[in-house]
Amino acid sequence: AQTVTQSQPEMSVQEAETVTLSCTYDTSESDYYLFWYKQPPSRQMILVIRQEAYKQQNATENRFSVNFQKAAKSFSLKISDSQLGDAAMYFCAYRRGGGGSQGNLIFGKGTKLSVKP
Amino acid sequence: DTGVSQNPRHKITKRGQNVTFRCDPISEHNRLYWYRQTLGQGPEFLTYFQNEAQLEKSRLLSDRFSAERPKGSFSTLEIQRTEQGDSAMYLCASSVSGGFLETQYFGPGTRLLVL
């Protein structure tokens, strides 16, 4: 079975600084996708960034980027120029790939990010 | 596009009662997922539909849980004979199936408290 582990229950960053959230996963499959989702307090979960396992190039979305290390099964999220609005729970998630996959996400336990002004 | 909506947003019930939650996905989304999230945990997959067909159920989904998606539109999740352990946030997500580019859009959730 696939598992996702986030070893940092809480993290804190100063506004405008950079922070990295860690995620490791375990799978025996070769075709899969990885995601970071953000869940602000009392608000809906939204997708931050995604990565396809077959792509070696790390994904970037504006201030968000990932460090994908396939051999190490590591998928960390870097937030640059942190803003107050980045404060949220961040979940790392895994999804099986391949045609006809059911598509359900497997989530880690999350990392609560606080941003200090 | 109003996003994924869920009703009710909060539900308090007594142990042993039945409850039903509703999820309205984004129109034209053919996939609909149900997840359960307890305090301090990430969401856990319960079940999913492609159109009206329920294609996968997690082992977490005991016989007391049933989900439907008639006509491939909205979905309902019913819990019979609720137990205190059912207290959680129930999240619904919808998407258009499409491999890597499939993005699940989540609703605000229904928070259930079983007394």
Side-chain angles (χ1 to χ4, degrees):
Chain A
Q2 298 82 26
T3 59
V4 176
T5 303
Q6 293 179 252
S7 59
Q8 305 154 317
E10 295 188 28
M11 291 283 285
S12 181
V13 64
Q14 204 73 31
E15 195 175 7
E17 296 295 309
T18 296
V19 64
T20 298
L21 307 185
S22 301
C23 172
T24 58
Y25 59 95
D26 190 23
T27 185
S28 59
E29 297 171 337
S30 59
D31 187 9
Y32 54 88
Y33 313 123
L34 297 166
F35 305 84
W36 279 97
Y37 276 83
K38 170 185 177 181
Q39 189 176 39
S42 301
R43 294 184 63 186
Q44 287 155 254
M45 194 172 311
I46 57 174
L47 178 66
V48 174
I49 197 167
R50 74 181 97 206
Q51 175 82 38
E52 188 172 14
Y54 277 114
K55 290 190 175 180
Q56 293 187 344
Q57 185 175 5
N58 290 323
T60 61
E61 289 285 345
N62 301 312
R63 298 182 295 106
F64 298 87
S65 61
V66 299
N67 183 2
F68 175 47
Q69 300 291 326
K70 190 173 184 179
K73 296 181 180 174
S74 171
F75 183 61
S76 61
L77 174 69
K78 185 172 80 172
I79 306 174
S80 304
D81 185 26
S82 297
Q83 300 175 1
L84 295 178
D86 294 333
M89 284 292 291
Y90 285 82
F91 292 97
C92 179
Y94 168 103
R95 177 159 64 88
R96 291 172 59 187
S101 68
Q102 68 266 36
N104 62 283
L105 296 164
I106 300 169
F107 288 88
K109 290 187 176 182
T111 296
K112 183 178 181 180
L113 178 66
S114 302
V115 181
K116 297 180 180 178
Chain B
D1 180 6
T2 57
V4 179
S5 61
Q6 292 186 245
N7 288 287
R9 295 290 307 276
H10 303 273
K11 180 70 176 179
I12 300 175
T13 191
K14 294 181 179 179
R15 188 177 56 185
Q17 297 295 305
N18 299 344
V19 294
T20 300
F21 310 140
R22 176 178 171 127
C23 171
D24 286 273
I26 295 171
S27 60
E28 308 304 323
H29 279 196
N30 61 336
R31 285 189 173 180
L32 187 148
Y33 300 82
W34 284 100
Y35 294 86
R36 180 173 67 188
Q37 185 177 21
T38 54
L39 281 176
Q41 303 292 322
E44 295 174 296
F45 169 71
L46 292 178
T47 188
Y48 99 104
F49 294 82
Q50 181 146 317
N51 300 312
E52 66 275 9
Q54 188 174 16
L55 297 187
E56 184 80 12
K57 290 195 290 186
S58 163
R59 285 170 293 177
L60 292 175
L61 211 66
S62 76
D63 292 343
R64 296 183 298 105
F65 287 70
S66 63
E68 295 182 341
R69 192 184 182 196
K71 302 179 183 179
S73 56
F74 71 92
S75 176
T76 58
L77 178 67
E78 180 183 17
I79 309 175
Q80 296 182 327
R81 305 181 303 281
T82 52
E83 302 173 355
Q84 289 184 327
D86 297 331
S87 296
M89 175 77 86
Y90 290 83
L91 296 170
C92 175
S94 71
S95 68
V96 175
S97 54
F100 173 61
L101 293 179
E102 176 179 343
T103 299
Q104 294 186 24
Y105 294 86
F106 283 81
T110 295
R111 186 171 294 281
L112 173 66
L113 177 61
V114 182
L115 301 176

